[in-house]
Amino acid sequence: MSVPVALPAARAWSTADPYATALRSGRGPLFLHRSDGWLLPLDIERWCAEPDMADRSVLSACQGPTLDIGCGPGRLVSALAGQGLPALGIDVSPEAVRRTRAAGGTALLRSVFEPLPREGRWRTALLIDGNIGIGGDPVALLTRVRRVLHPLGRLITESAPCGIADDLDEHSEVRLHDGVGAHGVTFPWARVGPAALNRHAAAAGWVREAAWTMEGRRFVRLRARRSAAR
């Protein structure tokens, strides 16, 4: 997937009124809604709360300047700032950027597929809370993130939670829905289990360094394969 193709999908979040409404209130319900009627609940309350134990395991693995891709309301960015670690959140939702800044974090209204500050110099990047699904093409996303990071940088990402098949590799068109009637525009999204994530990471030039599970959530830390690093 070329970068321009991914931009309209990313911008879909900025026009999804149910998402902005949920962020303003700090609570759901909010779902990803597939055309066949399937609904995936989104954990707005957790995203708007203080970092939990699983989040803290991610924060402890961050080293150096850190880029949080799809930062949402900014709980991780603001926590990193509180630890004195340089951190930037990017999100395509104006409300997410506003909340991140209000919480004491630094954030830009930006897609990961657009030019970013400090490209090639970030030491850690985060794709948490399902953000491996951005754009609906994990290989394209992981390839882009590798180019954003320093050649010796690390990516920490999260796969589908425990209880979901390891080999889940789903690519679909979804929209945001509040469970009542309000909904946003349709955009591509992906969900992957850890086995599928490993395959996509290898295809995009990554090597797995570590993996862990905390509070039912599954994480992996990746580094660029030497032959793929700039």
Side-chain angles (χ1 to χ4, degrees), residues 42-228:
L42 300 178
D43 201 350
I44 290 291
E45 288 83 356
R46 179 173 62 78
W47 297 354
C48 292
E50 294 296 314
D52 58 18
M53 288 183 62
D55 293 330
R56 288 195 289 272
S57 75
V58 171
L59 295 171
S60 67
C62 295
Q63 296 181 352
T66 298
L67 179 69
D68 186 2
I69 299 164
C71 65
R75 73 186 189 285
L76 300 180
V77 174
S78 57
L80 289 168
Q83 296 173 9
L85 198 65
L88 173 68
I90 59 170
D91 206 291
V92 296
S93 163
E95 183 61 24
V97 170
R98 185 197 69 77
R99 282 201 59 140
T100 299
R101 292 172 176 171
T106 301
L108 291 178
L109 186 66
R110 199 75 55 88
S111 162
V112 66
F113 294 105
E114 295 176 283
L116 298 174
R118 297 180 56 90
E119 287 213 17
R121 290 183 287 166
W122 295 101
R123 285 289 182 161
T124 303
L126 303 178
L127 283 170
I128 306 299
D129 298 330
N131 285 332
I132 188 65
I134 290 172
D137 185 342
V139 174
L141 176 60
L142 290 166
T143 299
R144 169 58 176 154
V145 174
R146 183 167 51 77
R147 293 169 180 162
V148 168
L149 278 172
H150 185 279
L152 300 179
R154 301 294 189 268
L155 168 63
I156 303 170
T157 188
E158 182 175 1
S159 65
C162 295
I164 301 298
D166 284 3
D167 60 353
L168 173 72
D169 195 2
E170 179 183 276
H171 309 260
S172 58
E173 295 288 324
V174 299
R175 59 183 181 176
L176 289 156
H177 199 287
D178 67 0
V180 178
H183 57 80
V185 299
T186 301
F187 57 95
W189 197 252
R191 291 198 307 148
V192 297
L197 175 56
N198 288 339
R199 290 196 303 271
H200 293 315
W206 295 96
V207 174
R208 189 176 78 166
E209 276 195 339
W212 69 97
T213 299
M214 179 71 68
E215 295 190 332
R217 296 166 64 193
R218 300 188 285 195
F219 305 95
V220 62
R221 188 178 71 225
L222 304 167
R223 64 170 175 82
R225 192 168 56 238
R226 289 189 178 184
S227 61

